[in-house]
């Protein structure tokens, strides 16, 4: 590559999701859209540009009390923890996140899955934990495997994660919201005894594609930017947490 020669990149992105589902709506008289991760459900008719006859959100049916959701806002030293841009790299926040994970892996058997908001944030956190000695403490209780942007490496990490759980050693898998693992890999049975989300997975708001989509949704469907960003973050969080819920009902 020559620094003085321009090398433009053209990115094509579909800003209107209704274009993809419109052929289905045109062909069939009755269409049922169902999923475990449709919540929040109210925004879908606007995004897909259709008028639903019936909208229903059903509670999850459990044969036993086997799910315990927790929201942790402070560390063991009572300092607030958050992944907001002005706090996420604070040493106290990073340390408290690490101490929380150490306590979890020392008490939860078998497999644990952790989701971070981005690859870059995960890399920074893991590096800091290694310097603080937290990663070594985690590995006293469980082996650590990390998702990367390389599909082959991630597949090998998943295989070894399952082997560690099967043999009783236990393992922790570090993953990223919107990554391969968050979108399609289930951690059923003993592979997913605990799932941890480090922060809410909001999209990178300075992305040109995202800015274009937000502008299109605002002008075409009158959807405010904050409403879509919150909707997308909650949907992605549900997608991540849902990785361990498949076999718990």
């Amino acid at each position: 590559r020559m620094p003085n020669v321009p090398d433009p990149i053209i990115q094509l992105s579909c800003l209107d999701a209704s274009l993809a589902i419109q052929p289905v709506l045109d062909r069939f008289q009755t269409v049922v859209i169902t999923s475990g991760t449709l919540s929040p459900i109210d925004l879908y008719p606007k995004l897909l540009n259709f008028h639903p006859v019936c909208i229903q959100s059903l509670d999850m049916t459990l044969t036993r009390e086997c799910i315990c959701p927790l929201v942790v806002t402070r560390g063991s030293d009572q300092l607030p923890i958050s992944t907001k841009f002005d706090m996420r790299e604070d040493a106290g926040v990073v340390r408290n996140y690490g101490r929380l994970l150490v306590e979890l892996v020392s008490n939860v058997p078998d497999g644990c899955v952790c989701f971070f908001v981005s690859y870059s944030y995960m890399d920074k956190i893991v590096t800091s934990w290694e310097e603080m000695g937290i990663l070594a403490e985690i590995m006293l209780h469980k082996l650590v495997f990390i998702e990367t942007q390389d599909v082959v490496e991630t597949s090998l990490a998943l295989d070894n994660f399952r082997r560690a759980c099967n043999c009783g050693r236990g393992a922790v898998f570090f993953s990223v919201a919107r990554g391969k693992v968050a979108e399609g890999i289930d951690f059923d049975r003993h592979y997913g005894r605990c799932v941890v989300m480090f922060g809410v997975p909001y999209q990178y708001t300075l992305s040109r594609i995202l800015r274009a989509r937000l502008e299109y949704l605002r002008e075409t469907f009158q959807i405010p930017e904050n409403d879509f960003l919150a909707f997308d973050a909650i949907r992605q969080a549900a997608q991540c947490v849902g990785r361990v819920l498949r076999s718990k009902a």
Side-chain angles (χ1 to χ4, degrees), residues 47 87 89 115 120 146 152 162 174 185:
L47 288 172
M87 294 180 61
E89 295 185 11
F115 290 99
S120 60
I146 302 177
V152 177
R162 292 191 178 99
F174 291 166
I185 305 297

Side-chain angles (χ1 to χ4, degrees), residues 45-100:
K46 284 187 177 181
L47 288 172
L48 300 179
N49 194 24
F50 71 96
H51 301 286
V53 176
C54 176
I55 296 181
Q56 186 67 42
S57 180
L58 304 176
D59 294 334
M60 187 174 180
T61 301
L62 298 175
T63 56
R64 57 191 174 90
E65 293 294 328
C66 59
I67 298 176
C68 179
L70 296 174
V71 178
V72 182
T73 59
R74 293 183 180 273
S76 56
D77 56 3
Q78 295 305 306
L79 287 176
I81 52 178
S82 173
T83 56
K84 293 192 296 185
F85 284 104
D86 57 343
M87 294 180 61
R88 61 171 53 183
E89 295 185 11
D90 181 85
V93 172
V94 175
R95 183 179 62 256
N96 276 320
Y97 273 143
R99 298 310 312 170
L100 173 64

